[in-house]
């Protein structure tokens, strides 16, 4: 059974700092997704990572995928208050019939 | 234009009632989904339809019945609502079943059963 673990689940940090959210998964997969959710809002797609070594960057966020380690990271550079949200990773694999299996989410609070 | 639209956005109803949530996508995607997000923000798939055909039906009570009249619509009907059904329900779509092109989510329907 495919399982997805995110850590940390809660992160409070100061503006201007760097930090990384980790997403580990339990079985072979080459499809990993990062989403952002603001309170009471929908899920906004951030990154789709489809191969080992994939790295994508958008603004202060950078995501990478290591399929051999079964690990993806979401790195935040010089955090700003607007990045406060809950971040989810989700994985799809043949084992899950390509349905998305979600991590529990990381609630990120960035203090001015 | 909203890519994946759900109605209603909020739904408050009494236990035992029957209610429906509608979803429409204008992206031309072949696959549509219903997800449930519980009070702890945990997301779980409920159903998946590909071109009007059910392909995933997770362990949900049979009080929940999806209906897809065409590939642009996937509605969710819930019979005999229970307190535990309170959650946010998200509709989503993807170009194909494997989701290599990513998934687009609707704005969610917050269902409260009292």
């Amino acid at each position: 059974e495919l399982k997805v673990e995110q850590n940390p689940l809660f992160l409070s940090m100061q503006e201007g700092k760097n930090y990384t959210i980790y997403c580990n998964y339990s079985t072979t997969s080459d499809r990993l997704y990062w989403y952002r959710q603001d309170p009471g809002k929908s899920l906004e797609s951030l990154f789709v990572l489809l191969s080992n070594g994939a790295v994508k960057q958008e603004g202060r966020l950078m995501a990478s995928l290591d399929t051999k380690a079964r690990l993806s990271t979401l790195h935040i550079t010089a955090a700003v208050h607007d990045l406060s949200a809950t971040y989810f990773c989700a994985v799809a694999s043949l084992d899950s019939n390509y349905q998305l299996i979600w991590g529990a989410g990381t609630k990120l609070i960035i203090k001015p | 234009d909203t890519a994946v639209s759900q109605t209603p956005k909020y739904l408050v109803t009494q236990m035992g009632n029957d209610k429906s949530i509608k979803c429409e996508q204008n992206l031309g995607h072949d696959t549509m989904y219903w997800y449930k997000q519980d009070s702890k923000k945990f997301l779980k798939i409920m159903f998946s339809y590909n071109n009007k055909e059910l392909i995933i039906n997770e362990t949900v009570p049979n009080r929940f019945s999806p209906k897809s009249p065409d590939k642009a619509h996937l509605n969710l009907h819930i019979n005999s609502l229970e307190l535990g059904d309170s959650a946010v329900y998200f509709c989503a779509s993807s170009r194909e079943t494997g989701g290599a092109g990513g998934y687009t989510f609707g704005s969610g329907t917050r269902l409260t059963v009292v």
Side-chain angles (χ1 to χ4, degrees):
Chain A
E1 182 189 350
L2 175 58
K3 292 184 180 177
V4 180
E5 288 186 0
Q6 271 183 253
N7 68 83
L9 297 182
F10 180 80
L11 179 57
S12 179
M13 55 194 287
Q14 295 292 129
E15 276 191 326
K17 299 289 187 184
N18 303 334
Y19 211 81
T20 300
I21 299 170
Y22 297 89
C23 177
N24 289 91
Y25 54 95
S26 62
T27 190
T28 304
S29 171
D30 58 0
R31 296 185 183 190
L32 191 134
Y33 309 82
W34 283 98
Y35 283 87
R36 168 181 172 151
Q37 187 178 36
D38 292 295
K41 301 293 185 183
S42 186
L43 292 134
E44 175 192 350
S45 179
L46 295 175
F47 301 108
V48 180
L49 304 170
L50 299 177
S51 61
N52 185 40
V55 177
K56 292 193 175 180
Q57 183 164 5
E58 181 73 36
R60 300 174 188 273
L61 301 177
M62 183 172 72
S64 66
L65 177 61
D66 180 343
T67 58
K68 293 178 182 175
R70 299 178 183 172
L71 170 70
S72 179
T73 60
L74 180 67
H75 187 73
I76 304 150
T77 302
V80 293
H81 179 66
D82 286 353
L83 290 178
S84 297
T86 299
Y87 292 85
F88 291 92
C89 67
V91 178
S93 77
L94 187 59
D95 287 358
S96 66
N97 290 320
Y98 289 109
Q99 62 175 285
L100 287 177
I101 306 298
W102 294 81
T106 297
K107 184 168 183 176
L108 176 64
I109 296 175
I110 299 170
K111 300 175 184 176
Chain B
D1 279 345
T2 304
V4 180
S5 59
Q6 290 178 234
T7 55
K9 191 170 175 63
Y10 300 97
L11 186 51
V12 181
T13 189
Q14 289 187 325
M15 276 196 307
N17 283 351
D18 303 339
K19 289 293 177 186
S20 292
I21 307 171
K22 295 186 175 181
C23 179
E24 176 181 2
Q25 55 97 1
N26 63 6
L27 297 166
H29 286 173
D30 283 341
T31 310
M32 295 184 72
Y33 311 82
W34 278 108
Y35 285 88
K36 179 179 180 179
Q37 186 173 44
D38 63 23
S39 58
K40 294 183 179 179
K41 305 297 183 192
F42 189 71
L43 280 148
K44 189 170 167 58
I45 191 165
M46 300 174 70
F47 301 103
S48 171
Y49 267 75
N50 185 58
N51 245 327
K52 302 193 299 176
E53 185 179 329
L54 180 65
I55 55 173
I56 292 173
N57 181 0
E58 285 299 301
T59 309
V60 298
N62 58 15
R63 298 180 294 102
F64 290 78
S65 54
K67 284 190 171 53
S68 182
D70 55 61
K71 77 171 194 177
H73 295 84
L74 180 61
N75 304 323
L76 183 65
H77 188 74
I78 316 168
N79 290 327
S80 302
L81 278 154
E82 300 177 357
L83 292 176
D85 297 332
S86 296
V88 180
Y89 293 84
F90 286 100
C91 177
S93 71
S94 64
R95 196 171 59 229
E96 33 74 41
T97 306
Y103 299 79
T104 303
F105 283 80
S107 58
T109 296
R110 182 173 295 275
L111 171 64
T112 303
V113 182
V114 297

